[in-house]
Amino acid sequence: MARLASYLRAGLRLAVLLGVTALMAAPSFEAAAGVELPKLEKGKGEKCVEDTAFMRRNHMELLKHHRNETLRQGIRTTKHSLKACVECHASGKTGSVASSKEDFCVACHSYAGAKPDCWDCHATKPGKHSVRQAAQPAVSPLMPSSGGRQ
Amino acid sequence: MAQQLCINQGECRTGQFFALLALGGLVVLGALFAFFTLEHHGHILTGMNNQIVWGLPHVFAVFLIVAASGALNVASIGSVFGKQVYKSRAPLSGMLALALLAGGLAVLVLDLGRPDRLVVAMTQYNFKSIFAWNMIFYNGFFAIVGLYLITLMDRKLKAWSKPVGYMAFFWRLSLTTATGSIFGFLVARAGYNSALMAPMFVIMSFAYGLAIFMVVQSSMYRWNGLRLDEGVRRRMKNLLAVFVGASLYFTIVFHLTNLYFAKQWEFERFILLDGGIYTKVFWVGQVVIGGIVPLILLFMPRSKDAQSMCFCFLAPFLVILGGVAQMYVTIVGGQAFPLVMFPGHEVQSSFYDGVVNAYHPGIYEWLLGLGGVGVTFTLTVVAVRVFKFMPQDDFQTLQARRSTD
Amino acid sequence: MSDSMNSKLEDRRHFLKTSAVVAGVTLGPGVLFFGVAQSRAPEEGASSNQRWGMLIDTTKCGDGCSDCVTACNTENGLTGHTGPQDSQWIRKVDIKDLRTGYVQSLPMLCQHCENAPCVDVCPTGASMKRADGIVLVDRHSCIGCRYCMMACPYKARSFVHEPLTDQNPEVPRGKGCVESCTFCVQRVDRGDKPACVEACDTKGHKAMLFGDLKDPESEVSKALKSSDSVEVRADLALHTGVRYQGI
Ligand code: SF4
Ligand code: SF4
């Protein structure tokens, strides 16, 4: 038994060596209980594409689903696209969702201890091809689209 | 704790043990430093680029991985072919195989552009990719050889060591074949596209693995103030000579068959004649230091009392150096040679088409590559210290056998 | 994913389908004005009824002209630097026949191979081919091993060696991943041509034709049918989406 234990210990050492790189931060709201909630800048437009409460918990799933559809299948709907998030939530001050501590994405993620790597590749500012402009009239031609016209 | 577990013959040189450990640890730390630096700044700090995409880290990684499979040879000869001398070395051989693979994989992982996605690599497989198969083989190797070690070292499970040994034997043959195929499948590149790549890797793995085993074994005996039995020594020496000879033979066949195909001439000219550093590394490193000199040393006739000059350390050590040189020529040289897109044409572009690509490894690549060796070294030092890996020879039978053969 | 979420996504799909019909009616000719054959509704994915391809006429390609390269860099947010560690998605290659001395110049880019070696070797499946033949790197699962770069016969791929900022929102790219020409997938999905082709057209060279190889009526199909063209490294039988004329 003692020998088994030392096998395990040796194995563990190995695992630690190999596992250094696999560290991942687990996002959790509960963990930060007691800290004051981040104050978020209000997005453009009347309301988000989904309930705020739903979005708070599930936006990552929606985004993940959407990114796979867009990239792998070429489905280019805009409702749950990251670009659309950025267009509505880019800060009035910095023009970005993630360049200062108060910006929409960063403010909440740092509160929740989440470290997504979206911004390694994705732009944090809206571009000249607005997704909302193209899509909004199609979805609801009567509602003026206020998002992303900049 | 260490004091208790110090079961090797000879005194327990705790101070020196920790010195070795510190040395190994330092090298590993160096690799971690390089890793975090690259993770932050990107590979821009290395000498690798869009032409030489695999550099020094891969040279070390592939060498260690290939050697890992070869290091298991000793155990296989013991378990699968039932040779007693090798049987008593099986645990050391298995442990070395694991340490080498861990070292090689560590470099491979630390050099990834997105090492944070290791989880993706471990969970998402494209089964068409030989590279993905390699990951499966590597993981399986850890499991099977680990199990094998347990059956070898635990009295109650001893009976299982033979079937598990067989499994390990076939598994690692597949592993090296797969590793060789990583290169063999690169049809577009003149330096790699060869069916000989996989078998050549298997043979070379035998040589490199055994060489590393012998170096470690010599060091352990010296460390404990013991002398390896002359009969054992002779056997391993001859075996190494066979493997080194076979590797040389394969190298010759590889280049000869390439010469047979006119379209490969340019590449052969490059490696054999005018490839600058690669030609030099090939002839001086791979052929002379890694092949011819060790063969001479191994076969050099010696008088009985010159036994201390057995080259049981030097010859395999040179084989190891030659092995690293071979990997350098294969991996870096193969990329340095311009990719042929328009046969019969002279090509020129802003993307370095048609030119021999330059590669100047930087400090971070060295740190990463050597870090793999450091991982292997540290694991070995610890394992040898904590477990009973010293080969337990039955000297009387050896003596008896020696007088008969 | 939770059940409620699934049903939400289902709802959404349904909703989008209905609204697409409405959109078609509402917008009518206004939207469909540009490139009828190519554009499709956003919720409609890439389809295997199409295969995007390109025909490059090297006799029309100007020696020393690099308008396609510039256009690509602008569209995709590349610096245009040409150091050994810089990304180049399209490059001009000058070739000289060693026997005759005949000199030509041509653009080289990802050939969007049907049997793409990069896709075959990629361990995680990050290198992938869309149903319509466009070969892309899914940067969400690319681990940066660079095996695809070793495998590509055209050196079409680049590895991003340093952190990037201010990317084009439509073209996400970042450190540690491999990238290559996407046929400007963001434009193609809107019904536009790739930036390089457009630039070549506007400058009047018209050396690059882009279109659907499966549509016999497309300009590129007709051109392919009426004259000889080749794949580069045809011996590898990769059935490239990009073909050349005049070499
Ligand atoms: S040209 Fe290269 S990158 Fe493009 S599809 Fe073919 S193999 Fe892949
Ligand atoms: S670098 Fe990325 S895309 Fe290329 S083979 Fe590796 S994981 Fe696949």
Side-chain angles (χ1 to χ4, degrees):
Chain A
M1 218 53 239
R3 188 175 295 174
L4 201 68
S6 39
Y7 291 153
L8 285 178
R9 226 174 299 129
L12 211 63
R13 206 163 287 160
L14 198 72
V16 168
L17 268 171
L18 287 173
V20 197
T21 54
L23 284 177
M24 293 188 100
S28 142
F29 281 95
E30 285 71 26
V35 184
E36 209 182 317
L37 282 164
K39 289 199 181 62
L40 297 177
E41 219 175 293
K42 198 177 172 310
K44 297 190 184 71
E46 244 160 72
K47 59 180 172 60
C48 190
V49 292
E50 306 286 352
D51 294 345
T52 307
F54 178 80
M55 276 314 241
R56 194 174 286 150
R57 297 229 159 251
N58 300 310
H59 65 285
M60 52 297 225
E61 295 299 338
L62 293 175
L63 284 170
K64 205 168 176 178
H65 186 81
H66 186 271
R67 82 176 193 200
N68 290 338
E69 278 191 345
T70 302
L71 183 89
R72 298 199 164 243
Q73 281 149 267
I75 295 173
R76 295 256 179 199
T77 54
T78 53
K79 192 178 179 194
H80 291 154
S81 111
L82 183 65
K83 261 185 294 180
C85 300
V86 173
E87 282 185 12
C88 285
H89 290 288
S91 146
K93 265 178 273 163
T94 63
S96 154
V97 291
S99 67
S100 89
K101 278 207 180 77
E102 284 84 46
D103 287 353
F104 189 79
C105 297
V106 178
C108 204
H109 285 155
S110 57
Y111 170 79
K115 289 195 191 77
D117 54 8
C118 311
W119 315 122
D120 287 2
C121 291
H122 286 277
T124 64
K125 295 176 181 173
K128 40 184 192 305
H129 284 281
S130 165
V131 281
R132 289 267 174 258
Q133 236 166 12
Q136 214 78 342
V139 175
S140 154
L142 296 178
M143 212 174 74
S145 92
S146 52
R149 211 171 273 158
Q150 29 171 290
Chain B
M1 177 79 192
Q3 212 62 38
Q4 270 174 357
L5 286 165
C6 174
I7 32 96
N8 288 346
Q9 291 101 326
E11 76 253 63
C12 260
R13 305 186 197 174
T14 306
Q16 287 175 35
F17 164 72
F18 281 110
L20 285 184
L21 202 59
L23 178 72
L26 212 66
V27 179
V28 176
L29 274 183
L32 285 180
F33 167 71
F35 164 70
F36 284 115
T37 315
L38 292 186
E39 170 78 345
H40 190 252
H41 296 281
H43 279 63
I44 188 122
L45 296 175
T46 70
M48 290 179 276
N49 52 45
N50 286 328
Q51 285 70 43
I52 306 286
V53 302
W54 284 356
L56 218 48
H58 304 81
V59 169
F60 280 98
V62 178
F63 175 78
L64 289 171
I65 290 169
V66 164
S69 146
L72 198 63
N73 230 352
V74 174
S76 297
I77 298 174
S79 282
V80 176
F81 303 108
K83 296 267 193 289
Q84 188 54 46
V85 170
Y86 289 100
K87 231 181 222 169
S88 55
R89 281 163 177 72
L92 178 60
S93 142
M95 182 278 292
L96 263 181
L98 288 185
L100 284 164
L101 187 64
L105 286 185
V107 191
L108 220 48
V109 168
L110 294 184
D111 177 74
L112 290 178
R114 299 293 311 231
D116 50 320
R117 302 237 173 92
L118 191 59
V119 184
V120 175
M122 292 296 169
T123 50
Q124 231 170 278
Y125 292 110
N126 164 21
F127 288 104
K128 259 190 131 178
S129 164
I130 187 71
F131 212 70
W133 280 104
N134 269 276
M135 304 214 191
I136 296 170
F137 279 123
Y138 299 153
N139 288 331
F141 192 83
F142 275 119
I144 293 178
V145 177
L147 200 68
Y148 180 48
L149 264 187
I150 294 177
T151 60
L152 283 173
M153 300 180 74
D154 197 304
R155 254 165 245 267
K156 272 185 243 142
L157 297 172
K158 197 110 201 168
W160 287 95
S161 72
K162 189 148 181 152
V164 181
Y166 264 102
M167 209 157 103
F169 176 68
F170 288 115
W171 193 268
R172 63 105 195 205
L173 279 187
S174 329
L175 180 141
T176 327
T177 312
T179 310
S181 303
I182 287 186
F183 297 97
F185 282 6
L186 296 174
V187 289
R189 299 203 181 236
Y192 300 128
N193 176 20
S194 166
L196 280 178
M197 217 65 186
M200 192 162 78
F201 263 63
V202 173
I203 294 297
M204 287 173 168
S205 86
F206 289 173
Y208 305 158
L210 185 61
I212 291 175
F213 180 90
M214 286 170 74
V215 164
V216 172
Q217 178 178 254
S218 304
S219 313
M220 282 169 73
Y221 273 80
R222 170 142 332 157
W223 184 256
N224 289 295
L226 291 177
R227 165 166 296 182
L228 188 53
D229 176 80
E230 178 64 15
V232 178
R233 199 182 258 183
R234 187 151 35 92
R235 266 163 218 253
M236 302 204 96
K237 206 179 77 174
N238 290 342
L239 192 64
L240 183 67
V242 169
F243 290 159
V244 171
S247 300
L248 265 185
Y249 168 77
F250 252 91
T251 308
I252 294 168
V253 174
F254 178 79
H255 290 291
L256 280 182
T257 45
N258 263 353
L259 283 173
Y260 185 77
F261 300 106
K263 61 173 185 177
Q264 297 280 37
W265 283 356
E266 285 298 314
F267 177 70
E268 285 306 316
R269 245 192 95 84
F270 177 71
I271 294 295
L272 303 179
L273 290 175
D274 55 15
I277 172 87
Y278 306 105
T279 305
K280 275 188 213 118
V281 175
F282 174 76
W283 287 111
V284 179
Q286 184 179 343
V287 176
V288 176
I289 297 182
I292 295 173
V293 176
L295 279 183
I296 294 176
L297 289 181
L298 291 170
F299 282 130
M300 199 149 65
R302 280 187 313 275
S303 60
K304 260 264 172 333
D305 44 67
Q307 258 180 17
S308 54
M309 294 268 296
C310 112
F311 300 118
C312 278
F313 184 88
L314 185 61
F317 188 73
L318 292 180
V319 173
I320 295 174
L321 291 186
V324 177
Q326 177 262 320
M327 288 298 171
Y328 195 86
V329 175
T330 305
I331 297 178
V332 182
Q335 296 171 83
F337 182 72
L339 197 136
V340 180
M341 258 183 294
F342 300 96
H345 286 79
E346 197 181 278
V347 215
Q348 207 186 5
S349 82
S350 61
F351 203 54
Y352 308 88
D353 286 298
V355 295
V356 172
N357 299 301
Y359 177 53
H360 308 288
I363 176 76
Y364 296 103
E365 282 132 296
W366 279 108
L367 286 178
L368 277 183
L370 290 176
V373 181
V375 169
T376 303
F377 178 82
T378 312
L379 288 174
T380 308
V381 167
V382 172
V384 165
R385 174 78 175 191
V386 175
F387 299 116
K388 204 171 166 186
F389 280 121
M390 190 73 189
Q392 306 293 307
D393 283 320
D394 179 346
F395 285 101
Q396 262 148 20
T397 19
L398 278 180
Q399 221 87 39
R401 193 161 321 142
R402 182 136 48 102
S403 54
T404 56
D405 67 25
Chain C
M1 208 184 278
S2 70
D3 275 355
S4 75
M5 167 100 70
N6 268 333
S7 62
K8 241 190 167 121
L9 289 172
E10 281 312 318
D11 283 355
R12 181 171 68 87
R13 267 194 212 111
H14 183 70
F15 167 70
L16 282 170
K17 251 182 216 140
T18 356
S19 59
V21 177
V22 178
V25 177
T26 330
L27 299 173
V31 157
L32 296 177
F33 164 71
F34 192 80
V36 186
Q38 296 183 353
S39 62
R40 51 170 209 267
E43 68 275 13
E44 212 180 293
S47 135
S48 54
N49 296 329
Q50 287 180 313
R51 165 109 204 264
W52 297 115
M54 203 181 263
L55 175 63
I56 295 168
D57 187 344
T58 56
T59 57
K60 292 184 185 159
C61 177
D63 183 21
C65 168
S66 57
D67 291 335
C68 52
V69 180
T70 316
C72 173
N73 293 341
T74 312
E75 170 71 24
N76 297 300
L78 309 181
T79 59
H81 299 160
T82 55
Q85 291 178 321
D86 290 314
S87 288
Q88 298 186 39
W89 290 11
I90 184 172
R91 62 191 189 269
K92 282 298 296 292
V93 179
D94 300 322
I95 62 171
K96 179 176 158 196
D97 192 313
L98 285 174
R99 297 231 205 128
T100 63
Y102 181 50
V103 177
Q104 275 170 299
S105 174
L106 53 88
M108 180 49 70
L109 64 161
C110 169
Q111 307 283 296
H112 296 274
C113 314
E114 188 179 322
N115 308 320
C118 59
V119 174
D120 284 349
V121 301
C122 176
T124 64
S127 285
M128 41 105 21
K129 195 172 63 170
R130 255 172 40 151
D132 57 7
I134 298 185
V135 175
L136 297 172
V137 176
D138 181 349
R139 289 178 180 76
H140 305 110
S141 44
C142 172
I143 53 174
C145 67
R146 285 103 86 200
Y147 193 26
C148 53
M149 299 177 74
M150 294 286 278
C152 173
Y154 310 98
K155 288 214 321 182
R157 300 204 147 187
S158 296
F159 178 65
V160 180
H161 284 77
E162 55 187 329
L164 302 178
T165 50
D166 284 331
Q167 294 89 333
N168 173 352
E170 288 192 301
V171 188
R173 38 190 301 264
K175 185 199 80 186
C177 291
V178 165
E179 56 184 20
S180 56
C181 154
T182 64
F183 266 171
C184 286
V185 67
Q186 70 282 4
R187 297 170 57 98
V188 171
D189 281 350
R190 294 201 284 268
D192 291 350
K193 292 173 183 170
C196 54
V197 179
E198 196 179 80
C200 195
D201 282 351
T202 26
K203 299 279 163 140
H205 301 297
K206 300 200 188 319
M208 304 167 99
L209 272 183
F210 178 85
D212 181 3
L213 303 179
K214 284 191 179 165
D215 173 7
E217 294 308 312
S218 71
E219 209 183 338
V220 66
S221 294
K222 284 183 188 157
L224 282 167
K225 202 172 171 187
S226 61
S227 57
D228 192 30
S229 65
V230 291
E231 290 180 24
V232 175
R233 288 295 311 261
D235 57 317
L236 298 173
L238 305 176
H239 304 319
T240 56
V242 178
R243 298 179 66 91
Y244 291 80
Q245 222 162 34
I247 47 171

